Amino acid sequence: MKNSEFRSEDIRITQLENGLTVILQEMEYSPVAAVTVAYRIGPLWETQITRGLSHFCEHMMFKDSRKYGPGKFWQIVQRNGGLANAYTSRDITVYFSVVPIAGLDDILSLESDRMFNCLMDANEVASEKKVILEEELLTSRESPEGALDISLYSTAFNKHPYRNSITGNASDIQSFTQKKLKKFYRNFYNPSNAVIAVVGRIDPDSVFSRIKDLFGSESMVDTVRPVITSEPPQTGTRRVDRKHPSQLPRISIGFRVPAADQQASSALSLISIYLASGRSSRFEELLVKPGLVLDVAASTNTLIQPGLYTIHAVLPPEGSPDEVEKLIFSELERVSAEGISSSEVQRLKKRRTAWSTISDADPLSRSRRLSTGQARFDDPLYFWHSIINTGKVTTDEIKAAVSRYLIKDNATIAGLKPMGSISGYSAPKVPDASVKPDLIPPSSLKPSDIDIPDSLIRAPSISVGDNAREIILENNLRIILKKDSSFPVLSLGFSCPMGADREPDKLTGLSEVTAEAMLYGTPNEDSIKFNSRLENLGSSIDLSSSNKYAGGIVTVLEKDAEQALSVVADLFRKPAFREEDINSIIRDTIASLNEWTSTPIGAAMESFSKQSTDPPEKSPVPSKESLSAIPGMI
């Protein structure tokens, strides 16, 4: 294989006698391997008695097993220079790791031992219950996004288990016992209920042989699944409003839509891109630019069974949820009546295809897509089949999907009304459509706590800097080039000396506001048009500031390299710095800052930053006063 473009014939799929599905792919990439193990376990498969146990099991899987005692999992991952995490969604639980090839056998051994021999020690169970209770408190009740999500799903579904939160509620968690947990674990954590995918610079034959040795000796177990209660059809708009101790109004609209493997999902995914993907989307123009919302997102259902297509918006303090709701439905009604032009649909398809290639350009993304596709839909190539299906969507199918599903009678509207102070942390952003890792790995371990074999102490045979070329232009622009043919993409990183440490006195936040303003276009292009240049290629551009530098990265298909370079050049050479854009950025930043500093963690970090900085006025945390002084300085 000349590069790592996706080819189904390069995928090796085998099922062991005990039911474990093994998916392997050799990928010409850095000498690393990604391992993903997906289990068919989540709220979809829980009952009133076991609600929340999928998520609790996920946490306990990082504790001790028969071969690897307490703390050994993270010791082994970190001694190999790897990373690992997990997440529980509404229908599957996924564990993933990336390590250098030398550490692959360690990871396979870890995964095998915790699949079959997780001890679920009583003391560990009691300790972890406290952790989960705190997580439930912060994410499900005190977090604005978590609270709104709970309200949305519990109102949209009356009977189906998708109505339940992933963590379970406080009384569920309090009821967890070692006996209940072990019974649940034995039922769902078995080979026939799991998929393992390994992708990287591997020898598939030897890796398969090792997996067979480690996982194949256990017998098949028939997983007992509860009968899933079907949800009655929705016959009218449902509404739920809740007050919340936070600063910013929020609105979430959920529409009942088919399962992710149905054809309607392809049309709905294109509608999501059209409505709210990036800085050039329709809602960016309709809602964000006029200042009606701070952020907005749209995403379709990715689950095994019929779920929700969601639109989430975060409003400024004085924002009107009624006005935002009216504009959202007005746009959906317009698309239902008029559709989207054929030329625009073609651009949306191009964006989806390009983004899919770009986001697939590493072993971890590939292994996760292979394993979750198999776990959810018995189709390891589900992700790539969905791209093909999206390419077949017609303008009429888009109109039909909006007309049938994205209508008021099929909508659940959840509103969050802020009450002022907040007692738990949540950044003022809409929920990410993707599933985020659940655990926080140890930041570091003492070297004396890690048993490092001699094989890992040898100097590496290759370095990321090998064959890199440096060029300095006459204007002192420094260029570093490295050729890598692993994927048909180009990644362009860039930075400049513009950070918080370089800001003038009493202008804290200037570097971040400047970086954001640079993304608002050139004198000849507004923000929508400027950002569409990359977003129409399936990519995007971002620029953020740190202590000393501001920088970002753009990844595009190799054939689009010249256009990416052109956009980055204009970003640095031709920023418009329009007064109205700067004022809008500062207004939104102050609103977000006020919510952040009203949380205990935000207030603590602000106080710590000032007390640990000499003088305190040089603290990198901006204030309303320092931000308000910025106009006229850019």
Side-chain angles (χ1 to χ4, degrees), residues 596-612:
W596 165 245
T597 54
S598 70
T599 68
I601 189 171
M605 290 185 67
E606 181 186 39
S607 176
F608 174 79
S609 177
K610 289 181 177 179
Q611 294 183 38
S612 61

Side-chain angles (χ1 to χ4, degrees), residues 417-434:
K417 299 179 179 180
M419 296 168 53
S421 62
I422 181 172
S423 55
Y425 161 69
S426 175
K429 284 284 187 180
V430 296
D432 195 320
S434 60

Side-chain angles (χ1 to χ4, degrees), residues 38-158:
Y39 294 89
R40 300 173 185 90
I41 178 175
L44 176 63
W45 313 111
E46 295 172 349
T47 66
Q48 294 297 316
I49 297 174
T50 61
R51 189 169 53 200
L53 278 178
S54 300
H55 177 256
F56 196 87
C57 264
E58 177 214 315
H59 278 241
M60 293 303 298
M61 290 283 280
F62 288 87
K63 304 299 181 179
D64 52 342
S65 59
R66 186 176 300 168
K67 184 177 179 181
Y68 300 100
K72 286 295 184 181
F73 180 91
W74 294 115
Q75 290 178 18
I76 291 172
V77 170
Q78 292 192 8
R79 84 179 184 189
N80 282 289
L83 62 86
N85 218 304
Y87 64 85
T88 300
S89 73
R90 281 185 159 82
D91 48 21
I92 60 173
T93 300
V94 179
Y95 301 84
F96 57 89
S97 309
V98 180
V99 290
I101 285 297
L104 175 58
D105 192 74
D106 283 342
I107 297 300
L108 295 177
S109 180
L110 283 168
E111 292 293 358
S112 171
D113 202 47
R114 65 179 178 177
M115 177 185 287
F116 301 119
N117 303 309
C118 193
L119 296 180
M120 305 294 180
D121 176 78
N123 292 330
E124 292 280 11
V125 170
S127 174
E128 199 63 23
K129 279 173 64 173
K130 298 177 183 178
V131 175
I132 302 295
L133 278 168
E134 182 178 354
E135 182 179 344
E136 190 274 338
L137 176 68
L138 290 175
T139 63
S140 300
R141 287 188 282 171
E142 298 190 358
S143 157
E145 276 79 26
L148 193 58
D149 188 69
I150 293 287
S151 294
L152 179 68
Y153 273 86
S154 62
T155 305
F157 295 99
N158 291 325

Side-chain angles (χ1 to χ4, degrees), residues 173-437:
I173 299 167
Q174 292 282 15
S175 73
F176 295 163
T177 64
Q178 182 192 39
K179 181 179 180 180
K180 182 188 288 189
L181 187 63
K182 279 191 170 184
K183 181 179 179 181
F184 189 82
Y185 164 74
R186 290 297 178 196
N187 184 45
F188 286 99
Y189 280 85
N190 64 74
S192 64
N193 196 44
V195 180
I196 182 169
V198 183
V199 177
R201 191 174 289 184
I202 63 172
D203 173 18
D205 289 336
S206 62
V207 172
F208 178 76
S209 177
R210 185 59 176 149
I211 288 175
K212 191 173 181 180
D213 289 343
L214 289 168
F215 294 84
S217 59
E218 297 287 336
S219 302
M220 177 179 284
V221 176
D222 291 327
T223 300
V224 179
R225 299 186 182 281
V227 175
I228 298 173
T229 304
S230 59
E231 184 71 22
Q234 185 167 336
T235 57
T237 305
R238 299 177 183 176
R239 288 186 178 273
V240 58
D241 290 305
R242 67 182 299 171
K243 294 180 179 180
H244 192 271
S246 53
Q247 297 287 323
L248 302 175
R250 288 166 167 83
I251 182 173
S252 288
I253 305 175
F255 302 90
R256 295 258 294 276
V257 295
D261 61 345
Q262 301 300 302
Q263 180 59 28
S265 291
S266 298
L268 291 167
S269 70
L270 291 180
I271 296 167
S272 296
I273 298 171
Y274 170 76
L275 291 176
S277 178
R279 295 173 181 260
S280 63
S281 68
R282 178 62 178 142
F283 281 163
E284 179 80 11
E285 180 181 11
L286 188 68
L287 301 174
V288 179
K289 296 301 291 181
L292 299 176
V293 305
L294 300 177
D295 204 2
V296 63
S299 59
T300 193
N301 180 38
T302 60
L303 303 175
I304 295 174
Q305 296 209 345
L308 295 183
Y309 179 104
T310 56
I311 297 174
H312 298 274
V314 182
L315 284 64
E318 70 285 356
S320 169
D322 290 342
E323 183 180 6
V324 170
E325 177 188 328
K326 182 179 178 180
L327 287 169
I328 288 173
F329 278 106
S330 177
E331 178 61 20
L332 293 175
E333 289 165 3
R334 188 195 66 78
V335 175
S336 174
E338 303 174 9
I340 302 174
S341 69
S342 58
S343 59
E344 178 66 19
V345 171
Q346 287 305 117
R347 280 194 292 270
L348 296 174
K349 292 178 181 180
K350 181 179 179 180
R351 287 178 63 174
R352 168 68 198 278
T353 302
W355 171 83
S356 299
T357 301
I358 293 166
S359 61
D360 187 48
D362 66 271
L364 179 56
S365 296
R366 184 75 57 85
S367 68
R368 284 172 67 169
R369 285 167 173 167
L370 290 167
S371 60
T372 58
Q374 177 66 28
R376 279 192 166 120
F377 306 112
D378 292 323
D379 180 10
L381 308 183
Y382 162 76
F383 175 78
W384 295 273
H385 289 155
S386 71
I387 299 170
I388 295 172
N389 292 334
T390 300
K392 299 175 182 178
V393 172
T394 66
T395 55
D396 287 342
E397 287 176 318
I398 288 178
K399 286 180 62 176
V402 175
S403 300
R404 180 174 180 180
Y405 299 112
L406 307 188
I407 56 176
K408 288 184 178 180
D409 282 348
N410 192 44
T412 298
I413 303 168
L416 184 141
K417 299 179 179 180
M419 296 168 53
S421 62
I422 181 172
S423 55
Y425 161 69
S426 175
K429 284 284 187 180
V430 296
D432 195 320
S434 60
V435 181
K436 293 184 177 180

Side-chain angles (χ1 to χ4, degrees), residues 325-572:
E325 177 188 328
K326 182 179 178 180
L327 287 169
I328 288 173
F329 278 106
S330 177
E331 178 61 20
L332 293 175
E333 289 165 3
R334 188 195 66 78
V335 175
S336 174
E338 303 174 9
I340 302 174
S341 69
S342 58
S343 59
E344 178 66 19
V345 171
Q346 287 305 117
R347 280 194 292 270
L348 296 174
K349 292 178 181 180
K350 181 179 179 180
R351 287 178 63 174
R352 168 68 198 278
T353 302
W355 171 83
S356 299
T357 301
I358 293 166
S359 61
D360 187 48
D362 66 271
L364 179 56
S365 296
R366 184 75 57 85
S367 68
R368 284 172 67 169
R369 285 167 173 167
L370 290 167
S371 60
T372 58
Q374 177 66 28
R376 279 192 166 120
F377 306 112
D378 292 323
D379 180 10
L381 308 183
Y382 162 76
F383 175 78
W384 295 273
H385 289 155
S386 71
I387 299 170
I388 295 172
N389 292 334
T390 300
K392 299 175 182 178
V393 172
T394 66
T395 55
D396 287 342
E397 287 176 318
I398 288 178
K399 286 180 62 176
V402 175
S403 300
R404 180 174 180 180
Y405 299 112
L406 307 188
I407 56 176
K408 288 184 178 180
D409 282 348
N410 192 44
T412 298
I413 303 168
L416 184 141
K417 299 179 179 180
M419 296 168 53
S421 62
I422 181 172
S423 55
Y425 161 69
S426 175
K429 284 284 187 180
V430 296
D432 195 320
S434 60
V435 181
K436 293 184 177 180
D438 188 38
L439 301 172
I440 302 176
S443 57
S444 62
L445 296 170
K446 295 179 181 179
S448 58
D449 291 339
I450 304 176
D451 178 23
I452 303 177
D454 293 340
S455 60
L456 294 178
I457 301 178
R458 291 195 297 266
S461 59
I462 62 174
S463 167
V464 70
D466 289 349
N467 302 316
R469 180 185 176 194
E470 181 179 7
I471 302 172
I472 300 179
L473 302 184
E474 292 182 1
N475 63 2
N476 288 325
L477 177 66
R478 185 184 181 198
I479 302 172
I480 300 175
L481 303 171
K482 181 177 179 180
K483 184 177 181 179
D484 186 335
S485 299
S486 299
F487 297 93
V489 300
L490 175 136
S491 289
L492 177 63
F494 45 88
S495 66
C496 64
M498 186 180 73
D501 291 349
R502 307 175 192 271
E503 294 171 339
D505 291 343
K506 299 182 180 180
L507 287 175
T508 306
L510 176 61
S511 59
E512 192 61 44
V513 170
T514 302
E516 178 68 13
M518 290 170 68
L519 297 167
Y520 275 55
T522 69
N524 298 322
E525 294 177 314
D526 63 12
S527 175
I528 301 290
K529 187 173 182 180
F530 176 75
N531 284 279
S532 70
R533 289 163 60 184
L534 279 179
E535 291 177 2
N536 285 338
L537 304 176
S539 184
S540 62
I541 188 168
D542 201 1
L543 181 66
S544 59
S545 172
S546 61
N547 286 344
K548 295 186 180 298
Y549 295 91
I553 188 168
V554 171
T555 301
V556 295
L557 298 181
E558 189 176 16
K559 66 181 182 65
D560 297 324
E562 186 173 338
Q563 290 168 270
L565 287 166
S566 174
V567 172
V568 173
D570 286 347
L571 175 77
F572 283 99

